[in-house]
Amino acid sequence: SFNVSPSPFGIYLNKIGCFCFEKQTLKAGEKQEMLVRFEVDKDLPENVDALTLSYTFFRVKSDT
């Protein structure tokens, strides 16, 4: 799942391409470069100095 901080301004961050659009499986210890392409809306208020986009990964049981 993803999070934008400060949260009220998440509406100004538009994901165009994201690793999260497709199911991916990582094995224990495996490394993967995961790309995100986004743009910040030109209407972002001027008093916002920074947006932080973060992701949380969760363990799931295998369906195999």
Side-chain angles (χ1 to χ4, degrees), residues 2-61:
F2 74 96
N3 183 50
V4 177
S5 179
S7 59
F9 301 103
I11 60 172
Y12 296 98
L13 190 139
N14 303 308
K15 288 190 289 181
I16 299 166
C18 182
F19 68 89
C20 60
F21 293 163
E22 297 180 22
K23 180 180 177 179
Q24 296 184 45
T25 302
L26 294 177
K27 296 177 183 170
E30 184 177 1
K31 295 181 181 182
Q32 176 70 35
E33 187 172 306
M34 298 182 170
L35 302 176
V36 178
R37 182 174 175 191
F38 64 91
E39 60 187 21
V40 177
D41 192 303
K42 63 180 175 54
D43 295 327
L44 177 71
E46 290 184 21
N47 64 334
V48 179
D49 294 334
L51 290 175
T52 301
L53 174 62
S54 61
Y55 283 84
T56 302
F57 293 86
F58 299 94
R59 292 183 187 270
V60 295
K61 291 184 178 181

